[in-house]
Amino acid sequence: MHYVDEGPRDGEVLLCLHGEPSWGYLFRHLVPGLSATHRVVVPDHMGFGKSATPVHSAEIAASSAGTQAL
């Protein structure tokens, strides 16, 4: 899963999740300003942006687990 992780590692985390049919690039103008004071994490859901497209149901479950891990 592709994601952007910007800002101070000890800062409060902002997790920016895109909808469909979009991708993390949607937040490109927000990340620079928010990352000055917060840790900003912007994932591309599986099959969107720079993340691979899942082929099997096991990969879809792994995608969900990957989002939860962030």
Side-chain angles (χ1 to χ4, degrees), residues 2-27:
H2 174 264
Y3 64 95
V4 172
D5 185 351
E6 297 289 335
R9 297 298 172 244
D10 60 344
E12 185 176 356
V13 176
L14 296 176
L15 179 61
C16 301
L17 299 174
H18 65 81
E20 292 184 28
S22 188
W23 56 309
Y25 187 70
L26 173 74
F27 299 103

